[in-house]
Amino acid sequence: MTAMTRRVWNFSAGPAAMPEPVLQRAQAELLDWHGRGMSVMEMSHRGADFTSIAHKTEADLRTLLAVPAQYKLLFLQGGALAQNAIVPLNLLPAGGVADYVDTGHWAQKSIAEARKYGEVNVAASAADAQYTCVPAQADWRPSASASYVHVTTNETIGGVEWFWIPDTGATPLVADASSHLLSRPLDVSRFGVIYAGAQKNIGPAGLTLVIVREDLLGRARRECPSVFDYAVQAKAGSMYNTPATFGIYLAGLTFEWLIAQGGLAAIERANIAKADALYAEIDRSGFYRNPVRRSDRSRMNVPFFLPDDRLNEPFLAGAAQRGLVQLKGHRAVGGMRDSIYNAMPLAGVLALVEWMREFERQHG
Ligand SMILES: *Cc1c(COP(=O)(O)O)cnc(C)c1O
């Protein structure tokens, strides 16, 4: 970075902060990647150089997440919301039914989209608990013949995270893991499909990661667009059409950074330390409030409320003066929300905690 560069502590929910070493490396390689005299952006996606980048990116992700051999990794476009349609187009036959678990804002988006393509059974909902917890599997009402079961494993707005994986037997489990994938180890073998938009923990917006078990390929409906047919893209190595090449390159740099940090077990320890520091401060005095059941509190997205909404603006203004930005809660929820993805260092969280204490002394 140049001497003039001033970086803030960015708590955005997404697009979110990226690891600074990744940005520095991208900057250093921007004009001339490895002596080729061009940017990765300017390369043919089918050339040897970009092919090597794509292969390394995929191999590093397989290593990081310990992805079993019978799973394909797809690098697609359209974000998680496109997957909400692409999943039923690939897995839900005409006249079929799919089970969904309603844990809040993003689960509801998935449910509404799936209803365009078939019957949706909401097998469980946290509505009665104001979306402050994950419904226990003992209380679910699954349908007899669901083509798959869909869960949203981290509700980015509500701040509710699953720390267990449901047992759906032979029915494939599909997860929107957009806002916590790669924040900790995950047993991929328990899922049929995992998808995530990149702009939280993976890289820049414009790239979608899909992990799909091989036996689920080849079931797409006739009307499924070819670029979104998992089997077509798996066969083509995600290059049926031009992929988001620069996004894949940045995701690859992010995976290298994660491996250098010690992998997902190490990043999980760091994420626990960050989340613990923040929730401890929220719970310390009763001035701040987080309504989520303790066992289901997200380590990535931490919403909290001040005792009076009129304090929101002064809290945000003082935070901004200290270089703490993007703390305003989602408009659907209000209050504050701080997203503390992998790229947020503990120092940023501690700076926020310090401001929370000072603000409480001023207004408590
Ligand atoms: C951010 C987010 C989305 C939206 O993804 P897009 O990439 O904007 O389509 C969907 N689901 C979850 C859980 C998210 O966090």
Side-chain angles (χ1 to χ4, degrees):
M1 299 278 158
T2 64
M4 294 299 292
T5 305
R6 182 183 149 270
R7 300 271 299 166
V8 292
W9 297 123
N10 177 5
F11 294 90
S12 171
M18 304 249 309
E20 208 165 292
V22 168
L23 297 177
Q24 281 164 344
R25 173 101 177 263
Q27 183 183 46
E29 296 180 342
L30 188 66
L31 294 175
D32 178 11
W33 183 84
H34 295 203
R36 299 305 193 275
M38 65 172 78
S39 168
V40 173
M41 264 184 263
E42 303 166 296
M43 288 175 183
S44 164
H45 59 294
R46 302 196 191 281
D49 287 333
F50 187 76
T51 301
S52 76
I53 291 171
H55 284 167
K56 174 130 197 329
T57 299
E58 172 169 346
D60 283 350
L61 182 58
R62 272 189 190 278
T63 304
L64 269 172
L65 257 182
V67 179
Q70 74 273 26
Y71 285 76
K72 295 289 187 192
L73 300 182
L74 307 180
F75 294 89
L76 305 181
Q77 298 177 59
L81 292 195
Q83 290 303 314
N84 286 344
I86 293 165
V87 164
L89 280 165
N90 276 274
L91 299 182
L92 186 60
V97 56
D99 284 350
Y100 279 68
V101 177
D102 173 18
T103 43
H105 181 95
W106 291 114
Q108 285 154 22
K109 289 262 194 208
S110 300
I111 289 165
E113 191 72 6
R115 285 199 163 121
K116 293 183 179 178
Y117 301 99
E119 191 187 330
V120 168
N121 169 49
V122 177
S125 171
D128 288 347
Q130 288 76 50
Y131 298 106
T132 55
C133 62
V134 177
Q137 197 174 1
D139 302 329
W140 295 13
R141 294 202 179 1
S143 44
S145 56
S147 296
Y148 60 88
V149 179
H150 180 283
V151 293
T152 307
T153 48
N154 185 62
E155 282 285 355
T156 320
I157 294 171
V160 173
E161 182 169 4
W162 298 56
F163 293 99
W164 52 281
I165 301 174
D167 181 358
T168 55
T171 310
L173 180 60
V174 176
D176 175 356
S178 289
S179 49
H180 74 159
L181 193 67
L182 302 184
S183 69
R184 55 183 162 99
L186 180 71
D187 184 356
V188 173
S189 74
R190 303 278 302 277
F191 295 87
V193 177
I194 301 169
Y195 62 87
Q199 67 272 21
K200 280 80 186 232
N201 256 339
I202 297 170
L207 176 68
T208 321
L209 177 64
V210 177
I211 305 171
V212 52
R213 210 174 60 213
E214 265 168 4
D215 63 287
L216 299 175
L217 301 174
R219 302 182 182 190
R221 293 195 198 175
R222 232 194 76 79
E223 68 267 28
C224 179
S226 302
V227 289
F228 292 141
D229 182 328
Y230 291 152
V232 169
Q233 286 287 20
K235 186 153 174 269
S238 303
M239 295 205 193
Y240 175 77
N241 66 323
T242 313
T245 52
F246 200 66
I248 291 170
Y249 159 72
L250 287 169
L253 295 184
T254 303
F255 300 157
E256 283 183 24
W257 173 81
L258 272 171
I259 290 169
Q261 302 300 297
L264 298 190
I267 208 76
E268 176 177 40
R269 285 194 293 277
N271 287 330
I272 288 172
K274 284 150 50 185
D276 282 354
L278 206 40
Y279 285 115
E281 178 57 24
I282 290 168
D283 294 337
R284 187 179 51 79
S285 74
F287 183 79
Y288 301 103
R289 187 175 56 83
N290 170 288
V292 178
R293 185 163 75 191
R294 286 187 189 220
S295 59
D296 302 342
R297 283 174 162 184
S298 172
R299 289 183 194 146
M300 297 284 101
N301 313 97
V302 182
F304 66 86
F305 297 90
L306 296 140
D308 181 339
D309 277 348
R310 284 171 300 187
L311 293 175
N312 290 349
E313 282 313 316
F315 182 89
L316 290 166
Q321 277 170 9
R322 287 157 180 81
L324 306 160
V325 305
Q326 302 275 3
L327 285 163
K328 192 175 179 149
H330 190 274
R331 61 187 181 280
V333 176
M336 302 296 141
R337 173 179 52 171
D338 30 294
S339 296
I340 48 173
Y341 300 116
N342 291 345
M344 171 62 69
L346 180 61
V349 174
L350 296 180
L352 172 60
V353 166
E354 199 180 298
W355 168 233
M356 289 168 73
R357 289 190 175 179
E358 188 181 328
F359 189 81
E360 184 186 340
R361 277 195 297 275
Q362 291 169 10
H363 299 272

